[in-house]
Amino acid sequence: MLFNHSDKIVLASNNRGKIKEIQHILSGHTIITQQSLNITEIEETGSTFVENAILKAKNAALQSNLPAIADDSGLVIDALQGAPGIISARYAGEKATDIDNLNLVLKNMASIPDAKRSARFICVIVLMRHANDPFPFIAQASWEGKILTAPQGSNGFGYDPIFWLDKENCSSAELSPAKKNQLSHRANALQLLEQQLLSHNL
């Protein structure tokens, strides 16, 4: 079963920052949150961003009987062997706040010299037309940067205040929301997804 722009798509996330970005970038579609449908979140038991995104999209599609979109994303730091990676949202513990996670990264990076602070944000977006969709749409993108030694800026969310962008000469948290929605890993993944949908006349 395919869908069109008039169909509702459930967004399998309770993260306000992600919800706002995704609804803005996919403004041509009717995006509703899983929270508005009282969908129970599923445990992210996958070992990769792709696996977790599929788990979340399938769960939302199953409970809502609607097409579902899920994002799994995180910060990958070379000096920390890819951490925080798929546990970016709970790096400092299950109940951790954005500040807790950010501070733990800074602590673990304290002895790392500037030349070895390379990192990237990763985003995988999965769209399933229904819970048993055998061929979901998958788009993935990355955003290169490096880790600062202290937070800068108050925009964005998550690790944005410590993610430095050489080309912009500022942190991700110092970008305007509009600029971030042009440059970010999530923006690029969503644009790739939109291209796939258009190529299938969806």
PDB file of all heavy atoms in Angstrom, residues 88-118:
ATOM      1  N   SER A  88      23.904   7.882  22.046  1.00  0.00           N
ATOM      2  CA  SER A  88      24.123   9.319  22.221  1.00  0.00           C
ATOM      3  C   SER A  88      23.101   9.964  23.155  1.00  0.00           C
ATOM      4  O   SER A  88      23.448  10.832  23.962  1.00  0.00           O
ATOM      5  CB  SER A  88      24.103  10.041  20.867  1.00  0.00           C
ATOM      6  OG  SER A  88      25.246   9.699  20.110  1.00  0.00           O
ATOM      7  N   ALA A  89      21.848   9.548  23.068  1.00  0.00           N
ATOM      8  CA  ALA A  89      20.789  10.162  23.884  1.00  0.00           C
ATOM      9  C   ALA A  89      20.837   9.724  25.342  1.00  0.00           C
ATOM     10  O   ALA A  89      20.225  10.359  26.198  1.00  0.00           O
ATOM     11  CB  ALA A  89      19.417   9.838  23.298  1.00  0.00           C
ATOM     12  N   ARG A  90      21.566   8.644  25.614  1.00  0.00           N
ATOM     13  CA  ARG A  90      21.644   8.134  26.992  1.00  0.00           C
ATOM     14  C   ARG A  90      23.092   7.808  27.374  1.00  0.00           C
ATOM     15  O   ARG A  90      23.349   6.899  28.168  1.00  0.00           O
ATOM     16  CB  ARG A  90      20.738   6.904  27.146  1.00  0.00           C
ATOM     17  CG  ARG A  90      20.992   5.801  26.137  1.00  0.00           C
ATOM     18  CD  ARG A  90      19.902   4.721  26.179  1.00  0.00           C
ATOM     19  NE  ARG A  90      20.233   3.590  25.324  1.00  0.00           N
ATOM     20  CZ  ARG A  90      20.042   3.552  24.013  1.00  0.00           C
ATOM     21  NH1 ARG A  90      19.513   4.596  23.395  1.00  0.00           N
ATOM     22  NH2 ARG A  90      20.355   2.477  23.312  1.00  0.00           N
ATOM     23  N   TYR A  91      24.010   8.562  26.832  1.00  0.00           N
ATOM     24  CA  TYR A  91      25.443   8.327  27.047  1.00  0.00           C
ATOM     25  C   TYR A  91      25.803   8.380  28.528  1.00  0.00           C
ATOM     26  O   TYR A  91      26.603   7.578  29.015  1.00  0.00           O
ATOM     27  CB  TYR A  91      26.238   9.372  26.255  1.00  0.00           C
ATOM     28  CG  TYR A  91      27.738   9.175  26.246  1.00  0.00           C
ATOM     29  CD1 TYR A  91      28.311   7.940  25.986  1.00  0.00           C
ATOM     30  CD2 TYR A  91      28.596  10.260  26.457  1.00  0.00           C
ATOM     31  CE1 TYR A  91      29.684   7.770  25.941  1.00  0.00           C
ATOM     32  CE2 TYR A  91      29.981  10.105  26.422  1.00  0.00           C
ATOM     33  CZ  TYR A  91      30.511   8.863  26.164  1.00  0.00           C
ATOM     34  OH  TYR A  91      31.879   8.699  26.122  1.00  0.00           O
ATOM     35  N   ALA A  92      25.207   9.286  29.268  1.00  0.00           N
ATOM     36  CA  ALA A  92      25.506   9.436  30.696  1.00  0.00           C
ATOM     37  C   ALA A  92      24.516   8.667  31.570  1.00  0.00           C
ATOM     38  O   ALA A  92      24.503   8.837  32.790  1.00  0.00           O
ATOM     39  CB  ALA A  92      25.513  10.917  31.082  1.00  0.00           C
ATOM     40  N   GLY A  93      23.680   7.822  30.952  1.00  0.00           N
ATOM     41  CA  GLY A  93      22.714   7.034  31.712  1.00  0.00           C
ATOM     42  C   GLY A  93      21.315   7.155  31.145  1.00  0.00           C
ATOM     43  O   GLY A  93      21.019   8.076  30.377  1.00  0.00           O
ATOM     44  N   GLU A  94      20.445   6.236  31.495  1.00  0.00           N
ATOM     45  CA  GLU A  94      19.086   6.190  30.959  1.00  0.00           C
ATOM     46  C   GLU A  94      18.292   7.468  31.215  1.00  0.00           C
ATOM     47  O   GLU A  94      17.465   7.867  30.412  1.00  0.00           O
ATOM     48  CB  GLU A  94      18.329   4.991  31.538  1.00  0.00           C
ATOM     49  CG  GLU A  94      18.799   3.643  31.001  1.00  0.00           C
ATOM     50  CD  GLU A  94      18.566   3.470  29.506  1.00  0.00           C
ATOM     51  OE1 GLU A  94      17.608   4.064  28.976  1.00  0.00           O
ATOM     52  OE2 GLU A  94      19.337   2.739  28.870  1.00  0.00           O
ATOM     53  N   LYS A  95      18.518   8.104  32.351  1.00  0.00           N
ATOM     54  CA  LYS A  95      17.776   9.317  32.712  1.00  0.00           C
ATOM     55  C   LYS A  95      18.574  10.593  32.429  1.00  0.00           C
ATOM     56  O   LYS A  95      18.225  11.677  32.894  1.00  0.00           O
ATOM     57  CB  LYS A  95      17.397   9.287  34.199  1.00  0.00           C
ATOM     58  CG  LYS A  95      16.586   8.076  34.628  1.00  0.00           C
ATOM     59  CD  LYS A  95      15.187   8.096  34.039  1.00  0.00           C
ATOM     60  CE  LYS A  95      14.347   6.951  34.582  1.00  0.00           C
ATOM     61  NZ  LYS A  95      12.989   6.936  34.007  1.00  0.00           N
ATOM     62  N   ALA A  96      19.647  10.468  31.663  1.00  0.00           N
ATOM     63  CA  ALA A  96      20.549  11.596  31.429  1.00  0.00           C
ATOM     64  C   ALA A  96      19.880  12.724  30.645  1.00  0.00           C
ATOM     65  O   ALA A  96      19.066  12.482  29.749  1.00  0.00           O
ATOM     66  CB  ALA A  96      21.787  11.125  30.685  1.00  0.00           C
ATOM     67  N   THR A  97      20.238  13.950  30.985  1.00  0.00           N
ATOM     68  CA  THR A  97      19.794  15.125  30.222  1.00  0.00           C
ATOM     69  C   THR A  97      20.816  15.430  29.137  1.00  0.00           C
ATOM     70  O   THR A  97      21.925  14.862  29.127  1.00  0.00           O
ATOM     71  CB  THR A  97      19.667  16.344  31.145  1.00  0.00           C
ATOM     72  OG1 THR A  97      20.989  16.675  31.634  1.00  0.00           O
ATOM     73  CG2 THR A  97      18.746  16.069  32.322  1.00  0.00           C
ATOM     74  N   ASP A  98      20.458  16.350  28.239  1.00  0.00           N
ATOM     75  CA  ASP A  98      21.417  16.785  27.216  1.00  0.00           C
ATOM     76  C   ASP A  98      22.700  17.299  27.858  1.00  0.00           C
ATOM     77  O   ASP A  98      23.805  17.021  27.376  1.00  0.00           O
ATOM     78  CB  ASP A  98      20.797  17.889  26.350  1.00  0.00           C
ATOM     79  CG  ASP A  98      19.786  17.362  25.345  1.00  0.00           C
ATOM     80  OD1 ASP A  98      19.624  16.130  25.233  1.00  0.00           O
ATOM     81  OD2 ASP A  98      19.156  18.192  24.663  1.00  0.00           O
ATOM     82  N   ILE A  99      22.565  18.047  28.937  1.00  0.00           N
ATOM     83  CA  ILE A  99      23.741  18.612  29.621  1.00  0.00           C
ATOM     84  C   ILE A  99      24.597  17.508  30.223  1.00  0.00           C
ATOM     85  O   ILE A  99      25.834  17.555  30.157  1.00  0.00           O
ATOM     86  CB  ILE A  99      23.302  19.609  30.723  1.00  0.00           C
ATOM     87  CG1 ILE A  99      22.571  20.801  30.089  1.00  0.00           C
ATOM     88  CG2 ILE A  99      24.506  20.091  31.520  1.00  0.00           C
ATOM     89  CD1 ILE A  99      23.416  21.639  29.155  1.00  0.00           C
ATOM     90  N   ASP A 100      23.969  16.502  30.808  1.00  0.00           N
ATOM     91  CA  ASP A 100      24.715  15.370  31.372  1.00  0.00           C
ATOM     92  C   ASP A 100      25.551  14.688  30.293  1.00  0.00           C
ATOM     93  O   ASP A 100      26.743  14.394  30.493  1.00  0.00           O
ATOM     94  CB  ASP A 100      23.753  14.332  31.977  1.00  0.00           C
ATOM     95  CG  ASP A 100      22.987  14.841  33.180  1.00  0.00           C
ATOM     96  OD1 ASP A 100      23.488  15.748  33.870  1.00  0.00           O
ATOM     97  OD2 ASP A 100      21.878  14.327  33.429  1.00  0.00           O
ATOM     98  N   ASN A 101      24.926  14.422  29.158  1.00  0.00           N
ATOM     99  CA  ASN A 101      25.622  13.742  28.060  1.00  0.00           C
ATOM    100  C   ASN A 101      26.772  14.592  27.526  1.00  0.00           C
ATOM    101  O   ASN A 101      27.888  14.094  27.308  1.00  0.00           O
ATOM    102  CB  ASN A 101      24.640  13.438  26.928  1.00  0.00           C
ATOM    103  CG  ASN A 101      23.616  12.390  27.308  1.00  0.00           C
ATOM    104  OD1 ASN A 101      23.892  11.477  28.076  1.00  0.00           O
ATOM    105  ND2 ASN A 101      22.413  12.506  26.758  1.00  0.00           N
ATOM    106  N   LEU A 102      26.485  15.854  27.324  1.00  0.00           N
ATOM    107  CA  LEU A 102      27.489  16.789  26.799  1.00  0.00           C
ATOM    108  C   LEU A 102      28.691  16.887  27.752  1.00  0.00           C
ATOM    109  O   LEU A 102      29.848  16.837  27.315  1.00  0.00           O
ATOM    110  CB  LEU A 102      26.813  18.150  26.609  1.00  0.00           C
ATOM    111  CG  LEU A 102      27.562  19.333  26.035  1.00  0.00           C
ATOM    112  CD1 LEU A 102      26.578  20.270  25.355  1.00  0.00           C
ATOM    113  CD2 LEU A 102      28.302  20.094  27.112  1.00  0.00           C
ATOM    114  N   ASN A 103      28.415  16.987  29.047  1.00  0.00           N
ATOM    115  CA  ASN A 103      29.494  17.109  30.028  1.00  0.00           C
ATOM    116  C   ASN A 103      30.346  15.847  30.100  1.00  0.00           C
ATOM    117  O   ASN A 103      31.565  15.925  30.315  1.00  0.00           O
ATOM    118  CB  ASN A 103      28.924  17.436  31.412  1.00  0.00           C
ATOM    119  CG  ASN A 103      28.496  18.882  31.528  1.00  0.00           C
ATOM    120  OD1 ASN A 103      28.986  19.749  30.795  1.00  0.00           O
ATOM    121  ND2 ASN A 103      27.581  19.170  32.437  1.00  0.00           N
ATOM    122  N   LEU A 104      29.725  14.683  29.909  1.00  0.00           N
ATOM    123  CA  LEU A 104      30.497  13.441  29.926  1.00  0.00           C
ATOM    124  C   LEU A 104      31.428  13.365  28.717  1.00  0.00           C
ATOM    125  O   LEU A 104      32.576  12.913  28.833  1.00  0.00           O
ATOM    126  CB  LEU A 104      29.566  12.227  29.955  1.00  0.00           C
ATOM    127  CG  LEU A 104      30.263  10.863  30.052  1.00  0.00           C
ATOM    128  CD1 LEU A 104      31.184  10.787  31.270  1.00  0.00           C
ATOM    129  CD2 LEU A 104      29.233   9.730  30.089  1.00  0.00           C
ATOM    130  N   VAL A 105      30.956  13.828  27.567  1.00  0.00           N
ATOM    131  CA  VAL A 105      31.820  13.880  26.383  1.00  0.00           C
ATOM    132  C   VAL A 105      33.018  14.796  26.649  1.00  0.00           C
ATOM    133  O   VAL A 105      34.170  14.438  26.381  1.00  0.00           O
ATOM    134  CB  VAL A 105      31.052  14.360  25.133  1.00  0.00           C
ATOM    135  CG1 VAL A 105      32.023  14.769  24.025  1.00  0.00           C
ATOM    136  CG2 VAL A 105      30.139  13.257  24.618  1.00  0.00           C
ATOM    137  N   LEU A 106      32.743  15.985  27.194  1.00  0.00           N
ATOM    138  CA  LEU A 106      33.836  16.919  27.486  1.00  0.00           C
ATOM    139  C   LEU A 106      34.836  16.317  28.462  1.00  0.00           C
ATOM    140  O   LEU A 106      36.053  16.466  28.299  1.00  0.00           O
ATOM    141  CB  LEU A 106      33.274  18.227  28.046  1.00  0.00           C
ATOM    142  CG  LEU A 106      32.479  19.099  27.070  1.00  0.00           C
ATOM    143  CD1 LEU A 106      31.957  20.335  27.780  1.00  0.00           C
ATOM    144  CD2 LEU A 106      33.332  19.493  25.865  1.00  0.00           C
ATOM    145  N   LYS A 107      34.343  15.623  29.461  1.00  0.00           N
ATOM    146  CA  LYS A 107      35.220  14.973  30.446  1.00  0.00           C
ATOM    147  C   LYS A 107      36.096  13.909  29.772  1.00  0.00           C
ATOM    148  O   LYS A 107      37.311  13.848  29.996  1.00  0.00           O
ATOM    149  CB  LYS A 107      34.373  14.336  31.546  1.00  0.00           C
ATOM    150  CG  LYS A 107      35.178  13.589  32.603  1.00  0.00           C
ATOM    151  CD  LYS A 107      34.247  12.930  33.619  1.00  0.00           C
ATOM    152  CE  LYS A 107      35.051  12.095  34.616  1.00  0.00           C
ATOM    153  NZ  LYS A 107      34.143  11.406  35.579  1.00  0.00           N
ATOM    154  N   ASN A 108      35.478  13.083  28.938  1.00  0.00           N
ATOM    155  CA  ASN A 108      36.220  12.005  28.281  1.00  0.00           C
ATOM    156  C   ASN A 108      37.159  12.506  27.194  1.00  0.00           C
ATOM    157  O   ASN A 108      38.078  11.787  26.790  1.00  0.00           O
ATOM    158  CB  ASN A 108      35.239  10.983  27.695  1.00  0.00           C
ATOM    159  CG  ASN A 108      34.508  10.198  28.762  1.00  0.00           C
ATOM    160  OD1 ASN A 108      34.943  10.133  29.915  1.00  0.00           O
ATOM    161  ND2 ASN A 108      33.373   9.597  28.407  1.00  0.00           N
ATOM    162  N   MET A 109      36.931  13.729  26.729  1.00  0.00           N
ATOM    163  CA  MET A 109      37.782  14.322  25.687  1.00  0.00           C
ATOM    164  C   MET A 109      38.817  15.293  26.262  1.00  0.00           C
ATOM    165  O   MET A 109      39.580  15.891  25.513  1.00  0.00           O
ATOM    166  CB  MET A 109      36.906  15.077  24.680  1.00  0.00           C
ATOM    167  CG  MET A 109      36.025  14.188  23.813  1.00  0.00           C
ATOM    168  SD  MET A 109      36.948  13.271  22.571  1.00  0.00           S
ATOM    169  CE  MET A 109      37.376  14.594  21.429  1.00  0.00           C
ATOM    170  N   ALA A 110      38.860  15.435  27.571  1.00  0.00           N
ATOM    171  CA  ALA A 110      39.689  16.463  28.211  1.00  0.00           C
ATOM    172  C   ALA A 110      41.157  16.396  27.814  1.00  0.00           C
ATOM    173  O   ALA A 110      41.824  17.426  27.666  1.00  0.00           O
ATOM    174  CB  ALA A 110      39.540  16.379  29.727  1.00  0.00           C
ATOM    175  N   SER A 111      41.683  15.205  27.623  1.00  0.00           N
ATOM    176  CA  SER A 111      43.112  15.059  27.320  1.00  0.00           C
ATOM    177  C   SER A 111      43.419  14.942  25.832  1.00  0.00           C
ATOM    178  O   SER A 111      44.568  14.763  25.437  1.00  0.00           O
ATOM    179  CB  SER A 111      43.664  13.827  28.038  1.00  0.00           C
ATOM    180  OG  SER A 111      43.040  12.648  27.553  1.00  0.00           O
ATOM    181  N   ILE A 112      42.388  15.060  25.002  1.00  0.00           N
ATOM    182  CA  ILE A 112      42.571  14.882  23.553  1.00  0.00           C
ATOM    183  C   ILE A 112      42.971  16.203  22.902  1.00  0.00           C
ATOM    184  O   ILE A 112      42.266  17.204  23.036  1.00  0.00           O
ATOM    185  CB  ILE A 112      41.277  14.355  22.896  1.00  0.00           C
ATOM    186  CG1 ILE A 112      40.784  13.084  23.586  1.00  0.00           C
ATOM    187  CG2 ILE A 112      41.483  14.122  21.410  1.00  0.00           C
ATOM    188  CD1 ILE A 112      41.735  11.915  23.520  1.00  0.00           C
ATOM    189  N   PRO A 113      44.111  16.235  22.182  1.00  0.00           N
ATOM    190  CA  PRO A 113      44.547  17.480  21.536  1.00  0.00           C
ATOM    191  C   PRO A 113      43.621  17.897  20.400  1.00  0.00           C
ATOM    192  O   PRO A 113      42.869  17.077  19.861  1.00  0.00           O
ATOM    193  CB  PRO A 113      45.934  17.123  21.001  1.00  0.00           C
ATOM    194  CG  PRO A 113      45.923  15.642  20.840  1.00  0.00           C
ATOM    195  CD  PRO A 113      45.046  15.120  21.933  1.00  0.00           C
ATOM    196  N   ASP A 114      43.666  19.162  20.045  1.00  0.00           N
ATOM    197  CA  ASP A 114      42.776  19.737  19.039  1.00  0.00           C
ATOM    198  C   ASP A 114      42.820  18.975  17.712  1.00  0.00           C
ATOM    199  O   ASP A 114      41.785  18.778  17.078  1.00  0.00           O
ATOM    200  CB  ASP A 114      43.139  21.206  18.808  1.00  0.00           C
ATOM    201  CG  ASP A 114      42.135  21.901  17.913  1.00  0.00           C
ATOM    202  OD1 ASP A 114      40.958  22.015  18.334  1.00  0.00           O
ATOM    203  OD2 ASP A 114      42.501  22.308  16.793  1.00  0.00           O
ATOM    204  N   ALA A 115      43.991  18.534  17.317  1.00  0.00           N
ATOM    205  CA  ALA A 115      44.150  17.861  16.027  1.00  0.00           C
ATOM    206  C   ALA A 115      43.453  16.504  15.971  1.00  0.00           C
ATOM    207  O   ALA A 115      43.254  15.947  14.883  1.00  0.00           O
ATOM    208  CB  ALA A 115      45.627  17.690  15.705  1.00  0.00           C
ATOM    209  N   LYS A 116      43.080  15.970  17.123  1.00  0.00           N
ATOM    210  CA  LYS A 116      42.476  14.638  17.160  1.00  0.00           C
ATOM    211  C   LYS A 116      41.045  14.665  17.715  1.00  0.00           C
ATOM    212  O   LYS A 116      40.553  13.676  18.226  1.00  0.00           O
ATOM    213  CB  LYS A 116      43.338  13.687  17.994  1.00  0.00           C
ATOM    214  CG  LYS A 116      44.707  13.435  17.370  1.00  0.00           C
ATOM    215  CD  LYS A 116      45.491  12.407  18.143  1.00  0.00           C
ATOM    216  CE  LYS A 116      46.836  12.124  17.457  1.00  0.00           C
ATOM    217  NZ  LYS A 116      47.624  11.099  18.204  1.00  0.00           N
ATOM    218  N   ARG A 117      40.367  15.809  17.557  1.00  0.00           N
ATOM    219  CA  ARG A 117      39.015  15.948  18.098  1.00  0.00           C
ATOM    220  C   ARG A 117      37.938  15.844  17.014  1.00  0.00           C
ATOM    221  O   ARG A 117      36.827  16.348  17.162  1.00  0.00           O
ATOM    222  CB  ARG A 117      38.889  17.265  18.867  1.00  0.00           C
ATOM    223  CG  ARG A 117      39.868  17.364  20.053  1.00  0.00           C
ATOM    224  CD  ARG A 117      39.745  18.689  20.799  1.00  0.00           C
ATOM    225  NE  ARG A 117      38.535  18.759  21.606  1.00  0.00           N
ATOM    226  CZ  ARG A 117      38.460  18.371  22.880  1.00  0.00           C
ATOM    227  NH1 ARG A 117      39.513  17.840  23.484  1.00  0.00           N
ATOM    228  NH2 ARG A 117      37.327  18.495  23.546  1.00  0.00           N
ATOM    229  N   SER A 118      38.271  15.168  15.918  1.00  0.00           N
ATOM    230  CA  SER A 118      37.320  15.033  14.806  1.00  0.00           C
ATOM    231  C   SER A 118      36.103  14.205  15.208  1.00  0.00           C
ATOM    232  O   SER A 118      36.185  13.265  16.007  1.00  0.00           O
ATOM    233  CB  SER A 118      37.999  14.380  13.606  1.00  0.00           C
ATOM    234  OG  SER A 118      38.560  13.127  13.966  1.00  0.00           O
TER     235      SER A 118
END
